[in-house]
Amino acid sequence: QAPSTRTDVRDCSTDPPYLPPTATNSTVRLAALRAIMQAHGVQAYIVPCTDAHMSEYISERDARLGWLTGFTGSSGTGVVTQDKAALWTDSRYWTQAERQMDCNWELQRTIWIESIGLWILDAVPVGGNISLDPFLFSIDTWNSYSQALHGSGRTLLPIETNLVDEAWGDQRPPPTSQKIYNLPEAFTGSSWQEKVAGIRQQMEQHVRRPTAVLLSGLEETAWLFNLRGEDIPYNPVFYSYTLLTSTNISLFVDEGRLSTSAQESLQEGCPGTSCVELQAYGTARDHLRHYAQDNVTIWLGTEYTNYGLYGVIPQEKLLEDSYSPVMLAKALKNAKEQELLRAAHVRDAVAVIQYLLWLEKTVPQGLVDEFSGAQRIDALRQAQEHSRGPSFQSISASG
């Protein structure tokens, strides 16, 4: 008798192992990755579940851990050696991982980097290289791995070519091509020029007198320029970096994706110090490296800056805070934003009241389950003015 879906998890102790229909066969994918690791002289490869901007939610194109393991939870780390593979995730996802992974993978029921480090030390002999993509690790996470392996005789080796991407090949989803649009003035309360002026004033007043602010978090650039995109499901952001100096502004983005009105809004105030120079998204690191050669101080937030960018800035030219001044400015809502937040909550309350009334009628008739309930609340919210869809997949009920 087939197990019920509630308990339908893999059983790797039987011969042959039992795998539920939800499990992904990772044998070919792991073999491809291991061949590439061997070519690079790598004994262990670390695969996180984030993107180059430390985003909590990611696009399909960045779901490397999901492709490699089959596990689609929002939090996890994988490590692959030539003969072992393991996934670390927290208790929200243990059952899900047992349903989605095949027996090539060990499940480690913790998320501590110390635990990952101990596993690696046990699996990789002295003299071995442990590698990762420096663009997918925050400064703090990189430092934690470095500390965990320090003095062990193993080398932490950054490789800028992502080895999972190489194994994934042309099956990897293409970059998004959807347009980046600008928010109408009625929704912002401040023009982007006013926001830039405010950040530059903070730079002037800071005791270290930074000459530039580096923005890596996707919501930072979106907020600063009053732009929005659809690169990541449920998140109105787009792939970008910004280097804001006291004299110019460089926005690293796929220029062809900017709508006409977005391009026009960025050219207001040109020529002058409020002129936005559009640069290719992929050139951010080289541009930053070149800028850092001069007599400069670069202010950044460590929470969202990846180690790949951080590593090109000499230590003495860094001004580090947990969050950039833009992230902190974004958190302080102006009067217009406060008014709009209240109005949005009123519209949302209307949708929720309509939903509760619908539930009262339909639940006793046995006509609604968790999924149809989620669809209903999404539809009621979508019917309200200015809706751009939910901010995450509805978690509508339990049982």
Side-chain angles (χ1 to χ4, degrees), residues 102-173:
D102 64 12
C103 292
N104 289 316
W105 291 88
E106 302 169 20
L107 175 61
Q108 302 288 328
R109 296 166 188 262
T110 173
I111 54 170
W112 301 111
I113 288 177
E114 293 85 347
S115 160
I116 301 174
L118 289 170
W119 188 94
I120 289 172
L121 293 180
D122 187 56
V124 175
V126 173
N129 289 328
I130 292 98
S131 196
L132 44 72
D133 178 345
F135 292 97
L136 297 183
F137 289 82
S138 70
I139 298 157
D140 291 345
T141 307
W142 169 276
N143 289 338
S144 296
Y145 278 109
S146 192
Q147 200 174 336
L149 300 171
H150 181 72
S152 68
R154 284 85 165 169
T155 304
L156 191 59
L157 180 72
I159 297 180
E160 289 169 27
T161 304
N162 189 288
L163 305 191
V164 174
D165 291 352
E166 279 195 36
W168 206 345
D170 58 10
Q171 296 301 302
R172 187 180 175 213

Side-chain angles (χ1 to χ4, degrees), residues 252-263:
F252 301 90
V253 70
D254 179 357
E255 184 178 348
R257 294 181 49 223
L258 289 164
S259 69
T260 305
S261 59
Q263 292 217 30

